[in-house]
Amino acid sequence: MSLVLRPWVFLLFHVLLSYESNFQRRNGVEATKRVFLYPQSPKVSSIVSNKYRTAYHFQPPQNWINDPNGMYLSQTTNFQIYNVEVAKDVSPNFSGPMYYNGIYHQFYQYNPNGAIWGDIVWGHSVSRDLINWIRLEPAIERTTPSDINGCWTGSATILNGDKPAIIYTGADPDKRQVQNIVFPKNLSDPYLREWIKSDKNPLIEPVGPGLNSSQFRDPTTGWIGPDGLWRIAIGAELNGYSAALLYKSEDFVNWTRVDHPLYSSNASTMWECPDFFAVLPGKNSGLDMSAAIPSGAKHVLKMSLDNCDKYMIGVYDLKSDTFVPDTVLDDRRLWSKIDYGNYYASKSFFDSKKGRRIIWGWTNETDSTSDDVAKGWAGIHAIPRSIWLDSNSKQLLQWPVEEIESLRRNEVSHQDMELKNGDLFEIKDIDTSQADVEIDFELSAIDTADPFEPAWLLDTEKRCREADATVASSVGPFGLVVLVSNNMEEHTTLHFRVYKSQQKYMILMCSDLRRSSLRPGLYTPAYGGFFEFDLEKENKISLRTLIDRSAVESFGGGGRVCIIARVYPAALIDGGTRMYVFNNGTSSVKIPQLKAWSMRRAQVNVKKG
Ligand code: DQQ
């Protein structure tokens, strides 16, 4: 404990954090100038710096990317792709984003002409480990009337165990959204570089009463029902409300719309990028949607709206061919989120190599469009995460794929620390701008936790702004502060706070970016999410944070709340950054274990295929 700094270092940190209260009150005008004026006139280097490019998150060498599209892992050869009768034998297979012949394929929305959204084609990269990627030529480009205005999001499905197909949305000359299919030209090419468009495109057009032809997109991976027919769902606006429309096919090419949606809701108007998959409660393993689904499995419907990815857990009723959520919440602010930060348009796939389900999402920049144009690049993908269902069937858990650990080096480890109120402990001897940190916090005096207010669930970001890292309560805030400049003016804070709620505890996890950078014109919210904590079963709260230059990706409570954020501290360019663990709650917190590593740079899309 001799390394724990207190109280003067913490006071500095505390003063800088509590700019609106303590510092301003004590120092009046000077404080006001110092704190409130610096965002308008910072003397910081240009944002055009390679130091903001991530070292191990997925991004192309330049230009704009958004949604992850079909992904999969490849397998065998000798498939004649022009034979569209591929699905005649509908024996169960694996499907999803792609793994093929020991190679993962990652497709993504890509603008080959610049760092803003537009001219969208399907970028294509391949990997053997989900971490190091080789960039190939785009897989699908805007060459036919049915995609001339854009090759938008879609999904890969593996037909009959070894025959990949991709269905994607095209924007046609009238800007209607239609669904098209492509097949690999040569299955013996392990990289599947070339994809051929079917002359039957568009396969599905936006027809039917109440269907908005410019809100009809993003087909899911296919799955096979008990009748042996393929199904896909498509995000749509139907009669002014959101729906995942259901289509059926015998051969994966000729599709008929089922007269009812897989699921619809009048709580919102359109769902982008629906994803539909099966999970087994408490099992950290994935299920293949086209194989027999074991009894006891639940289904998840994920949809993208309101700038975030939300999900419902329920059952897939095979008789009615509909998804039936366990709980229907009319207020969509209460729907669970895959990630409470900057994460959108995610897609999952069943990884047959390791028997897990993996989810990937898009994380946009939070600087300005002109910054992106000046940088020449915009957008990354979050680290691929294993995703599974908690044993209580109430929430999804996520964890970075284990392959990411191969990038760890220079381990530092601390055991049995205790942080009293006001303590700040510096984690040294690693690269704090490119790191992986795992911390367990053990709670004492949890009975004294403040009461939980259910209304906070309606606006968790507001709660994180109100209850920030400077506001002491009985149990919390405690956590990690990263990308801290030498004078501590810049810092990104990840912290927990414990509340008592009837028989259980509710934990608030925040990722507060409001002091993350001196640069003007950035979007710097305080993200936050709540999770339940069962004191009978656990007395530790874990935090894992992946810091990758302009990306800070955190997993709280074993992956119950995930928050990815983008930050641009001037200190990354000028002066370097530091990292601390802290407790600002009145009761002490123990840290039985803290481990941190520098992260090596991965080979992400550096080689052209
Ligand atoms: N991005 C795609 C659409 C999708 C949206 C276009 C979600 O297909 O709905 O680039 O980010």
Side-chain angles (χ1 to χ4, degrees):
M1 278 312 296
S2 56
L3 289 172
V4 174
L5 303 175
R6 51 189 311 239
W8 68 272
V9 173
F10 182 76
L11 272 180
L12 173 61
F13 172 60
H14 185 78
V15 161
L16 287 161
L17 279 170
S18 40
Y19 56 98
E20 278 165 325
S21 50
N22 308 355
F23 197 59
Q24 189 186 1
R25 246 180 271 130
R26 281 193 287 111
N27 295 287
V29 174
E30 192 194 324
T32 305
K33 261 194 209 147
R34 181 169 177 201
V35 174
F36 290 108
L37 290 189
Y38 76 68
Q40 276 91 55
S41 53
K43 296 261 183 303
V44 293
S45 316
S46 160
I47 198 164
V48 184
S49 166
N50 270 349
K51 294 199 171 156
Y52 291 123
R53 283 183 61 81
T54 56
Y56 58 92
H57 281 72
F58 184 93
Q59 60 181 143
Q62 60 185 20
N63 297 331
W64 164 277
I65 62 165
N66 55 299
D67 318 352
N69 292 151
M71 290 157 266
Y72 88 107
L73 183 62
S74 35
Q75 277 188 2
T76 56
T77 53
N78 299 332
F79 166 60
Q80 172 50 261
I81 54 102
Y82 299 104
N83 173 10
V84 292
E85 310 253 301
V86 288
K88 275 283 159 56
D89 164 16
V90 287
S91 60
N93 301 302
F94 67 92
S95 53
M98 301 220 304
Y99 177 72
Y100 195 78
N101 270 343
I103 293 177
Y104 294 97
H105 295 251
Q106 162 76 311
F107 303 93
Y108 44 94
Q109 295 280 281
Y110 177 64
N111 179 355
N113 302 322
I116 55 174
W117 187 88
D119 299 343
I120 293 292
V121 302
W122 274 45
H124 184 193
S125 295
V126 288
S127 170
R128 289 196 184 274
D129 61 5
L130 294 164
I131 303 301
N132 298 287
W133 292 93
I134 296 172
R135 185 170 70 111
L136 305 176
E137 292 303 318
I140 311 175
E141 295 183 283
R142 298 177 303 126
T143 54
T144 62
S146 60
D147 59 16
I148 200 68
N149 278 311
C151 302
W152 293 352
T153 286
S155 303
T157 302
I158 312 277
L159 312 175
N160 298 332
D162 59 358
K163 303 168 183 104
I166 288 171
I167 301 186
Y168 67 99
T169 299
D172 79 2
D174 301 323
K175 305 251 167 79
R176 291 181 328 146
Q177 292 166 13
V178 297
Q179 318 309 324
N180 302 311
I181 195 164
V182 292
F183 299 98
K185 183 172 179 186
N186 175 10
L187 278 176
S188 58
D189 170 11
Y191 286 177
L192 302 178
R193 286 165 215 248
E194 286 185 70
W195 293 75
I196 303 290
K197 293 177 185 175
S198 165
D199 55 15
K200 296 214 168 166
N201 287 339
L203 303 184
I204 307 175
E205 297 186 73
V207 286
L211 184 57
N212 181 342
S213 64
S214 59
Q215 300 281 35
F216 177 61
R217 57 184 179 273
D218 309 338
T220 63
T221 291
W223 72 94
I224 297 175
D227 53 8
L229 299 179
W230 284 102
R231 280 129 171 98
I232 54 171
I234 301 176
E237 181 190 311
L238 186 65
N239 300 317
Y241 295 121
S242 44
L245 298 183
L246 186 64
Y247 286 77
K248 276 193 193 178
S249 171
E250 199 176 322
D251 59 6
F252 216 74
V253 172
N254 295 289
W255 292 91
T256 310
R257 185 165 138 203
V258 178
D259 56 8
H260 59 269
L262 178 67
Y263 186 66
S264 63
S265 164
N266 58 11
S268 52
T269 54
M270 166 68 188
W271 290 335
E272 297 185 306
C273 306
D275 193 14
F276 186 55
F277 54 92
V279 278
L280 262 181
K283 291 267 183 315
N284 183 357
S285 56
L287 292 175
D288 174 356
M289 275 292 280
S290 286
I293 301 296
S295 69
K298 308 287 288 189
H299 278 76
V300 175
L301 180 63
K302 182 239 87 176
M303 60 288 277
S304 301
L305 71 161
D306 300 335
N307 289 321
C308 59
D309 281 8
K310 306 190 184 188
Y311 68 88
M312 296 173 191
I313 296 165
V315 291
Y316 179 30
D317 179 357
L318 293 175
K319 276 208 190 97
S320 62
D321 220 348
T322 55
F323 171 71
V324 183
D326 291 345
T327 313
V328 176
L329 297 167
D330 293 335
D331 190 334
R332 65 182 199 259
R333 289 175 298 177
L334 295 171
W335 296 0
S336 298
K337 293 184 185 173
I338 298 283
D339 187 296
Y340 288 81
N342 178 346
Y343 189 89
Y344 197 69
S346 62
K347 187 172 295 295
S348 72
F349 77 108
F350 175 66
D351 174 3
S352 58
K353 182 180 174 189
K354 295 207 172 177
R356 59 190 169 176
R357 180 160 290 274
I358 292 176
I359 191 165
W360 237 308
W362 162 48
T363 299
N364 201 356
E365 306 300 306
T366 48
D367 54 2
S368 66
T369 302
S370 54
D371 285 343
D372 292 343
V373 170
K375 292 188 325 220
W377 58 272
I380 63 167
H381 287 169
I383 294 297
R385 305 167 178 175
S386 292
I387 185 165
W388 69 101
L389 182 62
D390 205 353
S391 50
N392 64 12
S393 294
K394 280 195 184 159
Q395 91 162 103
L396 293 172
L397 301 174
Q398 296 163 76
W399 201 247
V401 292
E402 61 191 5
E403 287 86 339
I404 196 76
E405 292 165 25
S406 65
L407 299 177
R408 289 171 167 176
R409 62 188 165 87
N410 298 350
E411 176 176 313
V412 298
S413 143
H414 300 279
Q415 282 84 32
D416 300 325
M417 296 199 297
E418 181 172 8
L419 294 185
K420 296 201 167 60
N421 173 252
D423 282 348
L424 185 70
F425 172 79
E426 182 164 9
I427 303 170
K428 291 185 174 168
D429 303 323
I430 57 163
D431 178 350
T432 53
S433 66
Q434 227 171 276
D436 185 357
V437 186
E438 290 198 58
I439 311 171
D440 282 339
F441 295 97
E442 206 172 273
L443 309 173
S444 58
I446 192 166
D447 282 345
T448 62
D450 293 351
F452 172 69
E453 180 57 66
W456 293 334
L457 293 171
L458 292 169
D459 191 347
T460 50
E461 294 192 12
K462 178 162 177 264
R463 188 65 203 145
C464 283
R465 290 194 301 272
E466 290 164 352
D468 74 17
T470 69
V471 179
S473 64
S474 171
V475 194
F478 53 86
L480 182 69
V481 56
V482 302
L483 298 173
V484 184
S485 58
N486 284 326
N487 63 8
M488 293 191 175
E489 275 184 319
E490 292 181 306
H491 49 263
T492 296
T493 315
L494 306 147
H495 57 88
F496 296 110
R497 190 182 293 269
V498 180
Y499 295 102
K500 200 166 186 348
S501 164
Q502 295 173 342
Q503 302 313 310
K504 59 189 183 203
Y505 293 90
M506 294 292 283
I507 313 289
L508 174 64
M509 172 171 158
C510 301
S511 174
D512 189 345
L513 315 187
R514 288 173 302 156
R515 300 285 114 188
S516 59
S517 179
L518 295 176
R519 294 183 183 286
L522 303 174
Y523 176 57
T524 53
Y527 298 118
F530 278 97
F531 61 92
E532 284 183 23
F533 182 72
D534 185 346
L535 188 61
E536 303 283 299
K537 294 202 188 127
E538 48 192 343
N539 70 338
K540 285 184 211 135
I541 298 174
S542 70
L543 175 66
R544 175 153 183 210
T545 298
L546 294 163
I547 299 128
D548 189 5
R549 306 190 156 270
S550 60
V552 177
E553 189 166 358
S554 297
F555 301 81
R560 278 176 279 184
V561 166
C562 309
I563 305 180
I564 184 165
R566 302 300 306 282
V567 290
Y568 310 87
L572 261 186
I573 302 178
D574 313 317
T577 61
R578 293 166 178 266
M579 183 192 296
Y580 302 85
V581 58
F582 74 97
N583 175 27
N584 199 19
T586 50
S587 53
S588 8
V589 171
K590 289 200 176 115
I591 299 186
Q593 177 84 282
L594 181 162
K595 284 191 174 181
W597 298 263
S598 300
M599 293 293 268
R600 266 193 305 114
R601 175 174 288 281
Q603 300 290 304
V604 181
N605 291 320
V606 286
K607 241 198 266 171
K608 203 163 173 235

